[in-house]
Amino acid sequence: MKTIAIASDHAAYGFKTMIIEHLTAKGVKCKDFGAAKGVTVSDYPDFALPVAKAVAKGDHNYGILICGTGIGMSIAANKVKGIRAALCGDTFSAKATREHNNSNILCLGERVISQKLALEIVDIFLNTEFSNEERHIRRISKIEK
Ligand code: RB5
């Protein structure tokens, strides 16, 4: 069974709750790393880094990080070795980043995309396997060095 580490800052609490409900209904286990309900100001690195470290350690299959734009979360998560965090605003990128980059964290922007599109992106990201093609393995290994 896939387990997901998920977090948002205050700007994306709504998307986080929606995604947890969506995935839980499908039998996907989610571990919520915050932010807590009612928090009005928070700092995205405080959520991005614990999620990224947990995913890098192998505690969860994937991470989902959401902030206003998704940009802060992706910048912070990509500082952790072994993390390939992809900010996606369309379904094509969500599929391609799994197939080509073997991305292990999906970042979304609550102030950027609709609820419907966010859930479509989440489903595609989590249900697309890495291609395992030699050229993609080679490119990823160049980042890991
Ligand atoms: C919060 O206002 C906002 O800056 C944050 O959610 C995010 O968009 C940062 O990248």
Side-chain angles (χ1 to χ4, degrees), residues 9-11 44 67-73 111:
D9 67 359
H10 61 282
Y44 56 82
C67 61
T69 58
I71 296 171
M73 288 291 196
R111 295 173 178 163

Side-chain angles (χ1 to χ4, degrees), residues 24-75:
T24 303
K26 289 173 179 271
V28 178
K29 199 163 178 266
C30 296
K31 176 159 179 194
D32 186 353
F33 282 71
K37 187 177 183 181
V39 170
T40 51
V41 180
S42 61
D43 299 343
Y44 56 82
D46 295 341
F47 307 100
L49 296 173
V51 164
K53 286 173 186 169
V55 172
K57 219 174 116 197
D59 291 348
H60 303 279
N61 301 85
Y62 299 109
I64 298 176
L65 292 169
I66 321 140
C67 61
T69 58
I71 296 171
M73 288 291 196
S74 62
I75 291 171

Side-chain angles (χ1 to χ4, degrees), residues 2 14 20 28-29 33 36-37 53 69 76 79 81 85 87 99 104 111-112 114 122 130 141 145:
K2 280 179 185 158
I20 290 174
V28 178
K29 199 163 178 266
F33 282 71
K37 187 177 183 181
K53 286 173 186 169
T69 58
K79 295 288 181 191
K81 189 169 168 52
L87 171 58
E99 289 174 342
N104 44 16
R111 295 173 178 163
V112 182
S114 69
V122 165
F130 178 49
S141 75
K145 278 179 191 155

